[in-house]
Structure formats: C-alpha cells, structure tokens
Amino acid sequence: MARKNKEGNMPNAHLHELFVDELKDILGAEKQLLKGLKKLSAAANSDTLKKAFETHYEQTEGHIERLKSVFSSLDMTARGKKCKAMEGLLNEADEILEEFQDSPEVLDAALIAAAQKVEHYEIASYGCLVTYARLMEHSEAEGLLASTLEEEKETDVLLTEIAMSEANVGQSAD
Ligand SMILES: [Fe+2]
Ligand SMILES: [Fe+2]
C-alpha cells in the first residue's frame, strides 16, 4: 500500500529526481559522519559528551539502515554520493580539534559546536526529504525519514544540554 505511488503515478512527480538526489547526498553524509563521530568521541573530555557521541554513532548506523529501506521502498538500490557539505563540516571539526587539543577546558565546547553544525545540516536535509516524501505520497519513506529527523533533533537538544550543564561551564582550579 505504501508502495503504490511510483513514478508516473504520484502527485508532485517533478520532485522525484531532486528527492533521489538528496537521498544519495544524505546517505553519503551519514557514512562520512561515522568516521567523524569516532574522532569526536575519542577527543571528548567529558564522559557525558563521549557517551553522547557514542550513542549518536550507533544511531547514525541506524540512519544508514533506514536510508537503505527508503531506497528499497522506492524499488531502488541504495547508493550514496560524496557529500561536500559534510566533508567541509568534518574538515572544520578537524581544524578546531587541532587548535584546541591542548586546551581541555575549551575543547569539549569546540567539539559540541562542530557536532551541532553537523546536526543542523542533517536536520535541514531530513526536513526537506520528509516534505518531498509527503508531497509525493511516499508514505513508507516519509515515516522512515521522519524517525531519523526526530533523532537528529533530539541529539541537537542533548548537545545543548551538555553544553549548558558541564562542557562549557568553567571549572574551578582544584
Ligand atoms: Fe544521521
Ligand atoms: Fe546526526
């Protein structure tokens, strides 16, 4: 039933090519991010932050699986492409890590900033994809993409909470 709207038999078919292109972009981005999250969790000082990065690594593996299911719901083979935006965000994360690695009191704040930029990119991407899926009545894809969008938003909120509660709060010298 969820599969009924294929090309030629769906509303807003003009969006289909864009939808597929953006799906390939975010699949590539998620795969690139796995490596980035490993670096972030290895660098984090706070155990809470480390744990948050590890949890999001596992969620990211789930996001890749969901994207594969989205492609199969469209009767397509999952194929990602290199995401230049994610590449740039992760390059900046590397830079910031290098710059602040000898300043533990500020490093976690810098890692959170890098990670939240990534999350906002993902939130924008999945937000658009959910909209396209809805407009084309790809309901199975819409449900899968909306689940990932929620997890990206939750991660962003969690990172803000960590920033407010410990990572960015100056520590007394003892
Ligand atoms: Fe993700
Ligand atoms: Fe994410």
Side-chain angles (χ1 to χ4, degrees):
M1 190 150 146
R3 289 173 170 241
K4 74 177 181 346
N5 286 305
K6 294 284 186 287
E7 261 176 301
N9 181 29
M10 64 181 164
N12 298 300
H14 64 288
L15 290 172
H16 193 77
E17 198 180 331
L18 174 65
F19 181 59
V20 171
D21 210 59
E22 293 286 316
L23 282 172
K24 289 179 180 171
D25 178 89
I26 197 67
L27 178 56
E30 295 279 23
K31 288 180 174 172
Q32 289 160 245
L33 178 58
L34 284 178
K35 214 184 263 180
L37 282 167
K38 279 267 185 239
K39 279 191 200 169
L40 293 177
S41 63
N45 287 307
S46 144
D47 287 341
T48 315
L49 184 57
K50 207 179 263 295
K51 182 90 191 36
F53 287 144
E54 283 165 5
T55 302
H56 200 54
Y57 183 94
E58 284 165 24
Q59 287 178 325
T60 298
E61 289 181 319
H63 299 170
I64 291 168
E65 289 311 306
R66 276 202 198 108
L67 285 168
K68 289 179 184 168
S69 302
V70 170
F71 277 101
S72 65
S73 79
L74 302 167
D75 290 335
M76 291 182 71
T77 310
R79 194 165 294 145
K81 66 173 189 188
K82 186 187 206 173
C83 172
K84 289 179 191 157
M86 184 61 76
E87 185 181 42
L89 289 165
L90 294 176
N91 282 342
E92 284 199 3
D94 281 344
E95 267 175 33
I96 217 167
L97 212 161
E98 209 167 300
E99 193 172 338
F100 292 104
Q101 63 186 351
D102 297 325
S103 315
E105 71 285 1
V106 72
L107 180 63
D108 282 358
L111 298 178
I112 289 174
Q116 286 193 290
K117 287 178 188 178
V118 166
E119 290 314 305
H120 281 239
Y121 179 76
E122 290 186 305
I123 289 166
S125 301
Y126 282 107
C128 291
L129 286 166
V130 167
T131 301
Y132 304 153
R134 187 172 305 159
L135 289 169
M136 289 184 289
E137 296 179 6
H138 289 316
S139 52
E140 187 178 347
E142 182 191 340
L144 291 160
L145 294 163
S147 302
T148 297
L149 176 60
E150 265 329 291
E151 286 179 2
E152 307 293 15
K153 287 182 181 171
E154 284 165 14
T155 300
D156 182 50
V157 169
L158 176 64
L159 289 169
T160 299
E161 283 169 7
I162 296 172
M164 291 301 290
S165 63
E166 52 182 296
N168 290 8
V169 181
Q171 282 151 20
S172 57
D174 56 34

